[in-house]
Amino acid sequence: MSREWASLDGKLVPYESAVVHIASAAFKYAASVFEGIRGYWREEDGTLRLFVLAEHLRRFFDSLALMRLAPPWGPAQVAAAIEELVRANELREDCYVRVAGSVSGRGNIATRGPVLLSVDAFPLGRKPGARGIHAGISSWPRIADAMMPSSLKCIANYHNGRLAALQARTDGYDEALLLNARGHVAEAPTSCLFLAKARRLATPRLADDILPSITRRLVCELAAARGLTVDEREVTRSEVYLGDEAFLCGTGAEIQPVLSVDRIPLGDGRPGEITRLLAGAYLAAARGHDPAFRERALPVALGVPARSGA
Ligand code: PMP
């Protein structure tokens, strides 16, 4: 079983019935915010861990607030809906949970409610990019925070990343890297960038129009715990070409080595040592194997009793 059920306003519904109306503000104006959370399955104790769930819920409610959406449900109800759904779908493997708050009300551009809570949960293992990707600098600049809040996970923002992703694929790259309007490196369509040079890491600042990525923050913590220095600063385009190694990070992406940018190989064109170290550290933390992160890898009591919740 994997995707039999979805959750709408805290109730399980058959997957194919989880739909919104074409006249809703969500459909007409992209009035919808979301979060993507990964669940990590641990075979040894039969637990699924929703990694850094509290951080995702916090950002979800920040996104709702920035969009001036005031749902009648709170973080506890969202967490309960997620747990109920992963049980109902019997997810005993690594998975992805997408939570959205969307204006289901019909009306004009200023319609603010009702805000529908939806949850989708489905199996998702390592992506092919985990082995390394070839990136191209996009000619689409990353949206500036002063235009549409780049710190918000509003689906409208994703048109910017989508254009860049489509352009990159058309041009034969795996992934796009977007510069901000000032010409400095911002991020990829759904992940953030780290660059390593002479064993020192750099990553663009929050003020460089990036999403406040939860994985980026975790990578900074993991790097610090291993004695690596991370500078959060403006990163120039030419610095990226001259990096020893680089990687992208994100909840869905996890850690993806960047092997080349605009066909210029980074280092020897293979995943670098620091990238491999942090990728291993990240997956260990996500699965609850790093004591420093265990409390942020919340187990869902799956399988006890078997088939509960459905
Ligand atoms: N940037 C954008 C635009 C994203 O959608 C994501 C994925 N949420 C990221 C960066 C990485 O953020 P996180 O580590 O919180 O998943």
Side-chain angles (χ1 to χ4, degrees):
M1 223 39 69
S2 60
R3 222 168 177 175
E4 193 179 350
W5 302 98
S7 173
L8 288 187
D9 277 338
K11 293 192 185 61
L12 294 176
V13 295
Y15 198 71
E16 298 306 324
S17 312
V19 293
V20 294
H21 200 275
I22 57 166
S24 64
F27 189 83
K28 291 199 301 187
Y29 305 108
S32 180
V33 300
F34 76 102
E35 267 304 315
I37 304 150
R38 262 191 187 262
Y40 288 88
W41 176 252
R42 265 194 4 179
E43 198 59 52
E44 68 266 32
D45 59 5
T47 56
L48 183 78
R49 282 142 197 276
L50 296 170
F51 189 41
V52 285
L53 177 65
E55 277 99 323
H56 284 285
L57 291 177
R58 207 169 303 129
R59 190 172 62 186
F60 185 49
F61 280 85
D62 283 350
S63 289
L64 288 161
L66 261 176
M67 281 276 280
R68 299 181 191 270
L69 301 181
W73 30 265
Q77 282 95 340
V78 178
I82 295 172
E83 291 212 10
E84 184 181 41
L85 183 63
V86 297
R87 281 205 191 91
N89 281 342
E90 298 180 16
L91 289 163
R92 294 152 191 268
E93 59 199 298
D94 290 351
C95 60
Y96 190 80
V97 177
R98 190 179 192 279
V99 181
S102 314
V103 181
S104 59
R106 303 172 192 181
N108 62 22
I109 199 161
T111 303
R112 291 169 58 194
V115 184
L116 175 78
L117 171 64
S118 64
V119 191
D120 188 4
F122 50 90
L124 184 68
R126 306 289 74 71
K127 293 191 170 179
R131 291 191 291 276
I133 55 128
H134 298 280
I137 304 267
S138 183
S139 62
W140 292 104
R142 165 77 177 158
I143 47 167
D145 188 66
M147 298 172 185
M148 291 170 64
S150 46
S151 55
L152 173 74
K153 272 185 83 73
C154 167
I155 59 172
N157 284 4
Y158 284 80
H159 202 66
N160 176 236
R162 183 172 152 79
L163 285 167
L166 293 173
Q167 179 190 37
R169 281 156 184 71
T170 303
D171 292 347
Y173 297 109
D174 303 312
E175 191 56 289
L177 271 184
L178 287 84
L179 306 179
N180 61 25
R182 295 181 299 283
H184 295 309
V185 179
E187 61 178 7
T190 59
S191 52
C192 285
L193 180 82
F194 280 81
L195 185 67
K197 182 84 178 174
R199 297 197 62 78
R200 204 177 168 103
L201 289 156
T203 191
R205 306 167 306 174
L206 294 186
D208 290 323
D209 303 312
I210 65 168
L211 184 82
S213 154
I214 292 164
T215 319
R216 171 182 171 280
R217 175 74 20 236
L218 294 170
V219 167
C220 290
E221 289 178 41
L222 291 165
R226 282 150 188 82
L228 291 163
T229 304
V230 182
D231 301 313
E232 294 185 44
R233 61 169 175 80
E234 288 183 303
V235 174
T236 66
R237 177 175 186 160
S238 50
E239 262 186 282
V240 175
Y241 297 133
L242 296 173
D244 294 336
E245 47 184 296
F247 60 88
L248 297 176
C249 73
T251 302
E254 300 176 323
I255 308 287
Q256 303 194 343
V258 179
L259 307 179
S260 70
V261 178
D262 291 345
R263 308 258 174 256
I264 300 172
L266 301 194
D268 64 4
R270 285 185 301 212
E273 183 195 327
I274 295 175
T275 302
R276 285 185 281 118
L277 173 77
L278 292 173
Y282 180 74
L283 286 179
R287 248 181 252 287
H289 290 148
D290 180 341
F293 285 83
R294 205 157 281 157
E295 280 166 24
R296 291 150 87 185
L298 181 81
V300 176
L302 260 188
V304 199
R307 298 176 186 276
S308 65

